Amino acid sequence: MSYQPAQPQPDPPPPGADTPLRNSEEIQGNILAAFNKDHQRFLLLRFEDPTAARAWLSELLPEIATTKQIEDWNEEFSRRRKEADNVDPPDLNALWLNLGLTPAGLTKLSANQDQMRTQLSAFPSFAATPQGQAADLGDSGESDPTKWKFGASGQADIDAVLTVAADDPLELERKLEQLTDLRNRHQVEEVFRQEGETLPPPLTGHEHFGFMDGISQPAVKQFHKPDPGSPQFREGKIGERLTPAGEFVLGYENASGTSVSDPAWVRDGSFQVLRRLQQDVGGWNALVQERAGQVGLEPEKLGAKLVGRWKSGAPTALSPDQDPGNVTNAFDYEDDPPGHKTPLFAHIRKTYPRTAQQRFQEDRHRIMRRGIPFGEPFNPGGGYGEGEDAERGLVFNMYCADIKEQFEFMQQQWANDAGFPPDQEPLPHGPDPVIGPDGQVSLRSPEARQPLDFRRFVHTRGAVYAFCPAKSVLAQLAASQL
Ligand code: N7H
């Protein structure tokens, strides 16, 4: 072997060079960097007068959180927590705001309304509003817009969605009072106030059916660091594949290799989908129990098969028989094409099939979920607000760069379609039993192989699409420069 002189090594990239979006002061908070707060309110607002609304926006603007602000705070929180032997620093409380504008709101704020209307027509689902898309999305019957509390025709127009998220409920209340005062001074009407509250113990971190939520999210290139050993995944989070930033924020390369930057003001913005999804917990529990008896499975096990995770969050893909309590994202379904461990209809398999990524172009259909429950936990023997007659559910809140290809595709082409993902069996395996329509799901586990009639216990009770512009774009709107 001949001696090779050492090659000069390139300088290592400066810290943060591979994650420039982590320091963005343009991209609003909660899009890439989650607010992740226990107490949230979604204020649905209507502008009575465009000039007054611009004045409202310029006063509000300094309070709108940026990605950098959230990330800096989270870093400080983790550092202080580590120093205090994993105890949360009691004096570190955050309160953050995010602002989305509907097509009507963007048009009202714009100084050139005709041009704005033309530009919005490039985003047809957004311009159509959820009411316009209801039939395609399966929002009929119990989910019909006539049952909605907001967002339906005949109800007050919604121009803006203001998300207020806080650690401390008292601080949240104080801020809401200030925001009411600000609104009143500028003729901005509150059309609806949607509450969001993390559930009390023992359900903290879980949604109303009892399953742990908020586990799996897409990792984002240029925002999350790649893992040194497996650079397709996020550092330390094997299983969370890095997705192009353009799938969540406009103006960056997306999974199709293109970037949406026309009109220029969409850059660094993201679309928001907010839905009030009511959950009939008593109905779900009763039907799971009944169908479990029919197939001879424990209700906990049938529930896990319907969702694809046990209530603890442990995936059935790794533990099909009992709940080991290990919450992880490091799994796929490659060893289970027929769905013995995780049925093909299971909620998390429908909404993220985890196959080799090209098969369904999965990276084109991912969403950044930022939901939070509303209402008291279901406890029929309990007090006021805990029974059948009280409303409870999930404030489904999410961000994406393309409503049609991401949220609507996932709901319509994946969750609602009894035949997705395609397989070899003659009988389709059924729709998503959590968010899909009423239908038959076919269990194909060796111990239980049987079609089961299932119903939908999640109903849409309000919906709005908004766009969360970059901070500099909000400033332009406030200054009548757009
Ligand atoms: Fe779903 N549930 O309790 O059953 N969801 N979801 N979801 N959901 C997930 O992985 C639930 C809804 C997605 O990456 C978990 O974080 C309920 C809508 C996606 O593996 C649980 C409602 C849409 C994922 C639930 C509801 C989605 C996901 C596991 C309504 C999109 C990640 C926890 C009330 C149209 C999949 C976790 C992945 C996970 C439930 C709504 C999509 C427990 C109750 C409307 C993409």
Side-chain angles (χ1 to χ4, degrees), residues 32-75:
L32 298 178
F35 282 172
N36 211 7
K37 297 293 165 217
D38 291 339
H39 312 281
Q40 302 193 23
R41 298 292 179 271
F42 303 87
L43 310 182
L44 309 186
L45 308 173
R46 191 177 75 83
F47 306 145
E48 280 169 26
D49 173 77
T51 308
R54 286 187 201 108
W56 168 83
L57 180 56
S58 53
E59 274 196 57
L60 186 71
L61 191 58
E63 298 200 50
I64 306 288
T66 65
T67 301
K68 180 178 187 322
Q69 196 182 335
I70 312 298
E71 286 296 295
D72 286 350
W73 189 94
N74 286 344
E75 224 169 83

Side-chain angles (χ1 to χ4, degrees), residues 207 209 211-216 277 279 307 309 347-348 351-352 354 366-367 369 394 396 407 410-411 434-435 458:
E207 52 67 59
F209 293 151
F211 295 88
M212 180 177 272
D213 205 358
I215 305 165
S216 177
L277 298 180
Q279 292 176 255
V307 171
R309 288 189 189 266
H347 176 60
I348 67 161
T351 53
Y352 183 32
R354 296 181 192 234
R366 302 218 59 200
I367 56 175
R369 291 177 303 133
L394 183 75
F396 178 77
F407 165 66
M410 186 179 282
Q411 178 74 56
V434 179
I435 58 166
V458 170

Side-chain angles (χ1 to χ4, degrees), residues 6-7 21 101 132 193 200 224 237 251-252 269 302 337 363 367 371 376-377 392 398 404 472:
Q7 296 294 314
L21 300 185
L101 297 166
R193 183 179 288 200
H224 291 120
K237 303 248 177 173
Y252 298 86
L302 178 61
D363 281 354
I367 56 175
E376 300 291 325
R392 59 182 60 77
M398 52 148 277
K404 178 138 226 68
S472 65

